[in-house]
């Protein structure tokens, strides 16, 4: 698992190993919480069979970060964002099929 709040280049979710039960649905109830000039808080509902969640941030077509959290953590505050900028956030339960279902939302940081 990665460090929540630490970002690097987004990497695709690797395919699950044989015999792994994949999370077949995206996390439900993805919502935006508190927003500041450099952070956006996200939360979601538990997804059956998930062992964790991967959160992707994207500014336009440019990846802006990725982090992973354990299944017990149903939210994250994404940091190191630019002020007054719109970001798309994608949350995927892991393990997941490559190209599997995701939940998405957008938020704009304050000035």
């Amino acid at each position: 698992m990665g460090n929540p709040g630490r970002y690097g280049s987004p990497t695709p979710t690797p395919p699950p190993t044989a015999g792994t039960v994949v999370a077949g649905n995206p996390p439900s109830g993805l919502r935006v919480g508190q927003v500041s000039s450099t952070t956006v808080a996200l939360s979601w509902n538990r997804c059956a069979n998930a062992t964790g969640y991967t959160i992707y941030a994207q500014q336009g077509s440019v990846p802006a970060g990725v982090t992973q959290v354990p299944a017990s953590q149903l939210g994250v505050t994404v940091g190191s964002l630019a002020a007054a900028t719109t970001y798309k956030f994608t949350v995927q339960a892991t393990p997941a099929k490559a190209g599997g279902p995701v939940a998405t939302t957008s938020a704009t940081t304050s000035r």
Side-chain angles (χ1 to χ4, degrees):
M1 301 258 167
N3 264 334
R6 304 281 308 183
Y7 297 101
S9 297
T11 55
T13 303
T17 58
T20 299
V21 177
V22 297
N25 296 312
S28 64
L30 177 59
R31 54 207 169 272
V32 174
Q34 187 172 348
V35 176
S36 77
S37 62
T38 59
T39 65
V40 172
L42 302 170
S43 60
W44 55 87
N45 300 325
R46 183 184 176 279
C47 184
N49 300 321
T51 59
Y53 300 94
T54 303
I55 301 92
Y56 300 93
Q58 189 171 344
Q59 179 187 353
S61 62
V62 178
V66 63
T67 193
Q68 293 181 306
V69 297
S72 60
Q73 187 173 332
L74 299 177
V76 67
T77 298
V78 180
S80 300
L81 303 175
T85 303
T86 299
Y87 291 89
K88 175 183 173 184
F89 299 96
T90 303
V91 179
Q92 184 174 39
T94 55
K97 295 178 189 174
V102 297
T104 60
T105 192
S106 295
T108 302
T109 53
S110 58
R111 293 194 178 275

